Amino acid sequence: MTFNDFKATWTPVIDNFLREHLDSEVADKKISQIMSYSVMAGGKRLRPLLFLATLAALKAKISDNEIRIACGIELIHTYSLIHDDLPAMDNDDFRRGKLTSHKKWGEAEAILAGDALLPMGIQWIVQGSNSANLVNIITKAVGPNGMVGGQYLDIDSTNNESVAHNSEFINKMEWLKTGCLLRACVEMAADYGHANMSQRKQLLQFAHAFGRSYQIYDDLVDVIETSEEAGKKTHKDSENGKNNTLTLLGVAQSREELSALINEAQQSLKNIDSHVLAGFLDLYKKVL
Amino acid sequence: MTFNDFKATWTPVIDNFLREHLDSEVADKKISQIMSYSVMAGGKRLRPLLFLATLAALKAKISDNEIRIACGIELIHTYSLIHDDLPAMDNDDFRRGKLTSHKKWGEAEAILAGDALLPMGIQWIVQGSNSANLVNIITKAVGPNGMVGGQYLDIDSTNNESVAHNSEFINKMEWLKTGCLLRACVEMAADYGHANMSQRKQLLQFAHAFGRSYQIYDDLVDVIETSEEAGKKTHKDSENGKNNTLTLLGVAQSREELSALINEAQQSLKNIDSHVLAGFLDLYKKVL
């Protein structure tokens, strides 16, 4: 199966699960609507697909429980976007071509929608997996030593010239902000799908390279695409004094760095039977 | 053992665990400091004590793992306070006699401190218990059908005259906001401490009455205590157009309701050997 076939098969299943279960499992219709507004705003479902593709590489079955876990990850990702967009954070008015949650519903509502999506996402993961291990992996990935820690470093270093040329700091910040959660998708699938030691090692190598490259890709999208293509305001990072790999290395060297990471990710999959996982790397072609 | 002995024994253990592990387990020292500021602001540790007291009633041992679970609950409780105080929510400048997180550190920092405490709290619970069940209980209690749902109803109904006399709505909102998490402390302990069917039923009855009465108590504190005694601005609810049991019933009838719930909670403990759990109800005496 190709990546595109895999994506075409599972994206609608993910979308339907999210829509149906946010409706049936959230008792209050208004908060359900506010949560759904952001979850159903047309994301690529990259993280749930990555979880499912890793399971597929391990020949694990994909059924209702696995979809529930995958969708739990998407709830958590959506929470992070809603909070990142808040006025006190990145202050974004648009996301995926639609008004951001706080612009549409109000700031308290957006904070609470995020606060609702995070525990519900973890709940779906534990309900689908019945695994304390998976909860440990996901909570670590999104806590102060993971995603939220990265977001904190980002906020703390904005307009801070002293870190603009500190590649170690920028690598760490971008890894925490974006890489950690992507890696957790693969790690949870490796655990849930009973990867053997060698498979696990290779999958985590892939996840590390893929997770690290994603933020570089996202930063490149910010300068290369027009707002219309990206569905959000672009060219914002440099205007806002953000420090990232792109502001550190420039476009040409960022592309080289991205190519090197893609190569590393491909190499790590050599002994694993997965065209599908390798296909995730094609996503990056549009900025190379 | 009396409630006061129990409290005197375990409160310092809880405080030390929180202080030490927020320091050692959060890599970034600044975000660790921001998290600790609110966690170590002098809370009563009611929820972790309730979890531990329920374990004690079941003759379960209390050691490092159980303290980790108890402290995980406190992290989650603290996250909820930080977010409730935000300018977009209740806009409080003081909490427990100290500046609130956003007044002390900034709004982005406060949002992120909360966002860091919630998953870390869940992580401590799963690390201490290794139990998927406990994760299911806690995530349900704090998600859209629990605490966050209650906070949403609160925000949504503020200054809304149409619900001011709707006792069903107010009961539901207060239960979700406050009762759910208190009940979860007892339910997690019942599960973790292997309560039999009859013990479980009685403990959950106690938890329901205790959880429901706590918000009534808290609302009474708001009108009866001075700001200095309460450590936060009091008499705020009515000024801010909040609807609660107190605005619905008035002081005298709220006290009657509280007394009835205390009685119900005491009755439900009749066959359980716990002076300690019953002692939690003495907390309410100061507003009766």
Side-chain angles (χ1 to χ4, degrees), chain B residues 22-272:
Chain B
L22 280 174
D23 183 52
S24 65
E25 295 183 27
V26 178
D28 187 274
K29 288 307 146 204
K30 273 166 92 177
I31 191 165
S32 170
Q33 185 185 16
I34 297 171
M35 293 162 77
S36 269
Y37 173 82
S38 296
V39 174
M40 303 312 295
K44 296 182 294 293
R45 313 303 184 202
L46 184 71
R47 289 155 192 81
L49 287 170
L50 184 59
F51 173 79
L52 296 177
T54 308
L55 286 187
L58 293 166
K59 319 268 184 248
K61 77 163 173 46
I62 298 178
S63 183
D64 254 24
N65 279 335
E66 293 73 31
I67 299 297
R68 180 173 284 271
I69 300 170
C71 290
I73 301 170
E74 188 69 5
L75 298 189
I76 295 170
H77 172 58
T78 307
Y79 128 75
S80 77
L81 300 181
I82 294 174
H83 280 198
D84 286 1
D85 288 337
L86 286 169
M89 312 277 258
D90 290 352
N91 195 21
D92 276 310
D93 293 352
F94 289 94
R95 159 85 62 185
R96 295 167 181 164
K98 292 177 70 176
L99 285 173
T100 46
S101 182
H102 64 274
K103 293 299 283 186
K104 173 80 178 174
W105 306 101
E107 203 176 329
E109 287 78 0
I111 295 169
L112 290 172
D115 287 350
L117 287 165
L118 173 57
M120 186 161 231
I122 298 172
Q123 193 181 20
W124 284 10
I125 290 170
V126 82
Q127 286 173 336
S129 68
N130 201 29
S131 160
N133 267 0
L134 261 63
V135 174
N136 201 18
I137 294 167
I138 191 68
T139 51
K140 193 176 162 203
V142 302
N145 300 314
M147 188 174 72
V148 171
Q151 183 65 10
Y152 174 75
L153 291 180
D154 187 12
I155 293 289
D156 192 47
S157 70
T158 299
N159 290 314
N160 180 350
E161 262 301 309
S162 74
V163 301
H165 303 285
N166 183 339
S167 65
E168 196 186 332
F169 175 88
I170 288 172
N171 266 319
K172 182 178 153 190
M173 174 181 76
E174 298 205 328
W175 171 254
L176 293 175
K177 260 182 75 172
T178 313
C180 263
L181 179 56
L182 290 166
R183 184 183 186 280
C185 298
V186 175
E187 192 181 359
M188 286 194 287
D191 193 88
Y192 184 83
H194 305 293
N196 64 35
M197 290 284 278
S198 145
Q199 288 169 323
R200 182 184 158 82
K201 193 178 159 202
Q202 290 168 71
L203 286 168
L204 290 183
Q205 268 175 357
F206 165 79
H208 191 271
F210 182 76
R212 181 66 193 91
S213 50
Y214 190 77
Q215 185 70 46
I216 301 175
Y217 157 77
D218 204 45
D219 293 337
L220 280 166
V221 168
D222 185 68
V223 295
I224 291 170
E225 289 200 329
T226 63
S227 298
E228 205 178 321
E229 284 165 346
K232 60 184 177 184
K233 197 167 176 214
T234 52
H235 307 267
K236 249 198 91 172
D237 287 353
S238 58
E239 286 170 28
N240 289 351
K242 292 279 185 194
N243 297 303
N244 56 41
T245 304
L246 195 64
T247 59
L248 180 74
L249 299 178
V251 173
Q253 242 190 292
S254 290
R255 281 176 162 149
E256 274 176 40
E257 177 85 13
L258 181 56
S259 294
L261 283 164
I262 292 174
N263 194 41
E264 190 186 321
Q266 279 165 339
Q267 289 303 311
S268 62
L269 289 178
K270 253 184 4 194
N271 298 312
I272 290 179

